[in-house]
Structures are given as C-alpha cells and as structure tokens.
Amino acid sequence: MGPLVAQDIISSEWNFVIALLIGIGFGFVLEQAGFSSSKKLAGVFYGYDFVVLRVFFTAAITAMVGLIFLNYLGLIDMSLVYINPTYLYSTIVGGAIMGVGFILGGFCPGTGVCAAAIGKIDAWFFLLGIFIGIFFFAEAYDLFHDLYLGLSDPAAFQEGTRNIKVYDQIGISGNLFAFGMIIMALVAFIVTAQIEKKVKKPNY
Amino acid sequence: MKEDRSKKYLNPYLAGFFLGLVLLAAFYLTGRGLGASGAVKSVIVQTVDVVAPTHAENSSFYSKYIGTGTAPIKAWLVFEILGVFVGGALSGAIMGRFKWKIEHSPKIKSKTRLIAAVIGGILFGLGSQLGRGCTSGSALSGMAVLSLGGFISMMCIFGTGYMVAYIFRKLWI
C-alpha cells in the first residue's frame, strides 16, 4: 500500500532515483505540451492559446480521480499523503504576486526550467530572478513573518493542522466536489476552444 | 520537404493525462506531489549555510531549515528539478527544438524581454514563498489532493494574471 517511501517499503536511498525519474517524466511532458515556450504559456491570458488550461486541469483531475480510486481500493493510505496547509492571507498575497510574475516573466518555475533546458535565454533570466526573489524573502523574512504564519487569518483557519479540504469548506462531499470539478473543466474546455477560434494568434 | 517537428506539440489533453499520471506516481511513491520553487529554496538555504554559517544560524528563516531538522523533501525536490531539466532537454532534442534564443514579441526589444523575465522571476520567487509553493507545488499538487490552499493558490495566480494582462499586453501580443 502506498505511499511506498513514506512507509519504508522503498528504501530512502532509492528515493533520489525516484525523484530524478519523476522529474524527467514531469519535464518531458511539459516540453512535449509546449510549455517550454512563453508565447504558448502567455496565450492563456490573452485568449489565443489555452494549452495551459487544458494541460493543467486535465492533469489535476487525472491525479485527483486517481487518488480517489487508489484510496477506494485501499491501495494508498491518504493519512500519509501531504495535504497542503491553508494559510489564507499568505496564499492570497503570494498567489497575486505570482500572477504578476507570470505575466511579466512568461513562465512559472517548473516551465522555466523546462524552457531553459531547450536553450531559451529568457528562461535562464527568469530562473535567475527566482533565485533573487527567494533570497530576498529569506533575508527579509521578519517583514513577512506574521503574514507567512497566518497570524491574522480567521480563527477557524488557525485551529489544528490547517489541512483544510476545499469540499469541507464548501460543505459538500469530496466525491461530489470532484464530480463538479470535472463538469466545470469540461465546460471550460468547450468555452475556451470557442474563444481561441476568434482570437488572432500573435505572429512570432 | 521534411516535416518540421519543432512546431509539433502533443495533444494537450493527452499531455495533461500523462502529467496527471506522473503526479499520481509521485503521490503513490512518496506521498507528496510535484514541486519546483522548493528546489531553489533548498539550494539557497544550503548555499547560505556554507558561505555564511553565522548569518544562517542567526536568521529566523534559515535557522528553521539548517542543522538536524532539515527535511529530506528539500533535497528530493533538487533531484526532481534536475530531472525536469533532463526531461525537458530530452524532449527538446527529440523534437529538434533546442536552440539558443530569446523568444519575444516583435513589439519589444530582446533587452525588454530579459528585464521583464528577471522581474517576473523575482516576483514568482517571492510569491512562491508566501504561497508555500508555486504553480506545481501549491496549485497543481494542492488541487489534486483537494486542499483549499491549492485552489486559492490557483485562483489567485491566474486571477491576478488576467487582471494585469491588459497592462502588460505589449510584452506578448
């Protein structure tokens, strides 16, 4: 039963080999999808190419449904799977900063590495920026301390482990939420395909 | 005439399905999803610890990660991101896409593109710390495990992107 490394079913020496292999799969698929081009990535914001939306949502749904099935079949112990903790304001501010970074930089960190690997010089500069940005955060940590640790988040968020599930917050079951997400993705796929037909692709 | 493979991309739904399987494999094997910005953070923490150990010890940020308490996940992400580089290069080589170039709209100069790329990177780096992960670690992996944080992350990244897209349109269209 998974996760294998967390339960020492696979020894930790193999962990780094797994990391490398998973990374290779990750990078290969991103490049195959065209995520090594900032022009293709930026398309999602200007309506001429929605490849980001298609790949992103299909991937999230595939993994989500996969986890639901593995859990249902008793093949994975979900209590050992990392659930991203929710620090409300920190995530909102961080996400907003990343959104501006996405438009200016044309990449996100993963796709930046992928683009750098095929010789995009702009991607190397983007990666340099990431180093500077994280170094700045580290050095100025005291400035962000309260926000980062969610000290002013609503009281309900400050209890326990902060491993809040999105469906609990809405007040529906996990499976119903997953079903709703699939429907929403399908609608988004259809609508964006229509938009894409009408918007002129930039020529470069 | 030889067909130009460099313009050919995998069907996005199929690519998304494969990416989902990679992500699922990461969860099944290690109990964690994918990541990217965490690898950079790990490299920075290690570097500062070697170059300026006293500074690292006295800092409320670095001191959380150095010494005995270093989580192995951090090194995991460094290997993973090296893999991303290798995987990207492999795919680029197969498709004939490897080329040193600065990709940008004809409306801006190469220099403008590079400056925007650095500033974008700085913002992404900073934001990924507050967001506890970037598009892969926080948004994609977070959504797959149905964490509230993952969905907020995704909505804020793309929502803000759409809000400021018009202002910076000259960079792209």
Side-chain angles (χ1 to χ4, degrees):
Chain A
M1 190 164 89
L4 302 183
V5 176
Q7 300 173 95
D8 289 324
I9 295 171
I10 291 180
S11 74
S12 51
E13 292 99 71
W14 280 97
N15 204 1
F16 295 117
V17 179
I18 292 170
L20 195 68
L21 291 176
I22 283 179
I24 291 174
F26 186 18
F28 192 88
V29 176
L30 287 180
E31 210 292 321
Q32 283 289 316
F35 280 24
S36 51
S37 160
S38 55
K39 179 191 166 192
K40 267 185 101 62
L41 293 168
V44 71
F45 295 110
Y46 296 99
Y48 62 80
D49 195 335
F50 282 99
V51 63
V52 168
L53 179 125
R54 294 186 188 118
V55 174
F56 188 87
F57 276 100
T58 312
I61 285 171
T62 303
M64 173 189 78
V65 172
L67 283 174
I68 290 173
F69 269 98
L70 287 179
N71 185 39
Y72 178 73
L73 297 170
L75 294 172
I76 194 165
D77 181 355
M78 285 304 284
S79 69
L80 294 173
V81 170
Y82 177 76
I83 309 292
N84 306 50
T86 301
Y87 290 80
L88 187 64
Y89 297 136
S90 189
T91 306
I92 292 174
V93 175
I97 295 172
M98 285 190 268
V100 181
F102 209 154
I103 290 288
L104 281 170
F107 296 110
C108 60
T111 54
V113 171
C114 198
I118 66 153
K120 295 280 165 67
I121 297 163
D122 39 329
W124 285 98
F125 276 72
F126 179 78
L127 295 182
L128 170 74
I130 294 179
F131 273 90
I132 300 171
I134 297 182
F135 184 63
F136 171 75
F137 178 85
E139 291 299 322
Y141 179 68
D142 292 337
L143 224 70
F144 301 107
H145 178 269
D146 290 6
L147 176 67
Y148 181 72
L149 293 178
L151 301 185
S152 28
D153 281 358
F157 284 86
Q158 299 205 34
E159 289 161 10
T161 55
R162 288 187 184 248
N163 296 339
I164 305 163
K165 298 284 199 156
V166 63
Y167 52 85
D168 285 334
Q169 193 67 22
I170 302 172
I172 57 175
S173 81
N175 291 347
L176 183 62
F177 181 87
F179 181 72
M181 196 171 136
I182 293 169
I183 300 293
M184 270 173 60
L186 290 176
V187 172
F189 293 155
I190 294 166
V191 172
T192 51
Q194 297 301 316
I195 296 172
E196 209 177 73
K197 275 185 203 159
K198 291 189 182 127
V199 178
K200 196 174 138 268
K201 255 187 152 97
N203 196 17
Y204 62 92
Chain B
M1 213 177 95
K2 223 179 124 202
E3 195 189 7
D4 186 8
R5 274 176 309 157
S6 71
K7 295 262 160 41
K8 279 206 146 173
Y9 296 107
L10 186 61
N11 175 294
Y13 300 110
L14 196 58
F17 176 68
F18 286 142
L19 181 57
L21 290 185
V22 172
L23 179 55
L24 188 62
F27 279 120
Y28 182 73
L29 292 168
T30 71
R32 297 206 45 151
L34 300 166
S37 53
V40 178
K41 174 172 147 185
S42 173
V43 170
I44 288 174
V45 170
Q46 296 303 325
T47 309
V48 170
D49 191 28
V50 171
V51 176
T54 334
H55 173 61
E57 256 172 63
N58 295 334
S59 150
S60 47
F61 179 79
Y62 301 114
S63 58
K64 286 193 294 179
Y65 304 102
I66 53 173
T68 49
T70 314
I73 175 69
K74 300 301 167 196
W76 195 92
L77 280 175
V78 174
F79 280 88
E80 185 231 41
I81 216 70
L82 287 174
V84 172
F85 190 87
V86 173
L90 211 62
S91 164
I94 292 170
M95 304 306 287
R97 273 198 279 268
F98 186 91
K99 199 182 164 196
W100 290 108
K101 74 166 174 187
I102 303 167
E103 191 178 38
H104 66 87
S105 156
K107 289 181 187 165
I108 57 166
K109 293 194 188 107
S110 292
K111 200 177 140 192
T112 314
R113 170 73 188 113
L114 293 182
I115 293 168
V118 174
I119 299 172
I122 292 174
L123 291 174
F124 228 119
L126 173 64
S128 70
Q129 295 313 296
L130 287 169
R132 288 177 168 73
C134 56
T135 336
S136 33
S138 181
L140 180 62
S141 304
M143 280 168 69
V145 293
L146 298 175
S147 105
L148 178 64
F151 281 85
I152 297 175
S153 223
M154 183 272 294
M155 286 192 284
C156 289
I157 294 172
F158 288 99
T160 315
Y162 278 107
M163 277 197 276
V164 299
Y166 185 77
I167 305 170
F168 299 111
R169 67 191 179 284
K170 245 187 104 177
L171 290 174
W172 306 108
I173 54 173

